[in-house]
Amino acid sequence: MTTVVKEMLDTYPADLGDVDREALAHCIEECVACAQACTACADACLSEENLTELSKCIRTNMDCADVCTATASVLSRHTGYDAHLTRAVVQACLTACRTCADECERHAETHEHCRHCAEACRRCEDACETLLLHLG
């Protein structure tokens, strides 16, 4: 399945080096999907009656969404690539996704939106981990 992310990577005029294009495209896509899921989950949590109980979840969702958005942006830029910065950003995203998934899983039995968010976070965490293996 061709995606806009893959199409953009395929049309990049310079050499991308040794990076695995599939892992890179997959990670960007999962970061975007996770950011959306976390934003929607935070919003859904704000509509729940037990708001105080969900305050940490909301904060974690918002932090994870911001980190995922930043990571997708950094991974989408290749001119003047800095491997150390990229690795640090991807590692931060992996950590944010793991933390958010753990928090959402605490509420998953009660709130279905938290279950969906945790699943999106785990997929992004896995994609970040895979990409880190290919970044050297």
Side-chain angles (χ1 to χ4, degrees):
M1 178 175 165
T2 302
T3 66
V4 171
V5 173
K6 184 155 175 11
E7 288 173 348
M8 293 305 293
L9 288 173
D10 288 345
T11 61
Y12 187 71
D15 183 17
L16 288 176
D18 292 335
V19 69
D20 180 322
R21 287 178 185 240
E22 293 296 323
L24 178 61
H26 183 65
C27 191
I28 293 169
E29 290 166 349
E30 291 298 342
C31 284
V32 171
C34 189
Q36 188 281 327
C38 287
T39 299
C41 188
D43 185 63
C45 285
L46 286 168
S47 296
E48 296 289 352
E49 291 180 17
N50 54 340
L51 196 54
T52 305
E53 221 175 275
L54 294 169
S55 62
K56 184 176 180 186
C57 191
I58 295 165
R59 169 61 189 263
T60 306
N61 283 158
M62 293 169 61
D63 289 349
C64 190
D66 288 346
V67 172
C68 286
T69 299
T71 302
S73 294
V74 168
L75 292 177
S76 295
R77 294 188 287 263
H78 307 287
T79 304
Y81 173 77
D82 182 323
H84 296 293
L85 176 63
T86 301
R87 286 189 63 74
V89 169
V90 174
Q91 183 62 54
C93 188
L94 186 154
T95 301
C97 289
R98 180 176 293 147
T99 301
C100 191
D102 289 347
E103 179 61 27
C104 280
E105 285 170 352
R106 292 182 52 234
H107 308 284
E109 286 186 26
T110 309
H111 306 292
E112 191 172 359
H113 53 84
C114 288
R115 181 179 58 79
H116 290 297
C117 186
E119 291 168 358
C121 288
R122 292 291 182 213
R123 286 190 301 272
C124 191
E125 177 186 0
D126 290 345
C128 287
E129 193 167 46
T130 298
L131 182 59
L132 283 170
L133 294 172
H134 292 93
L135 289 177

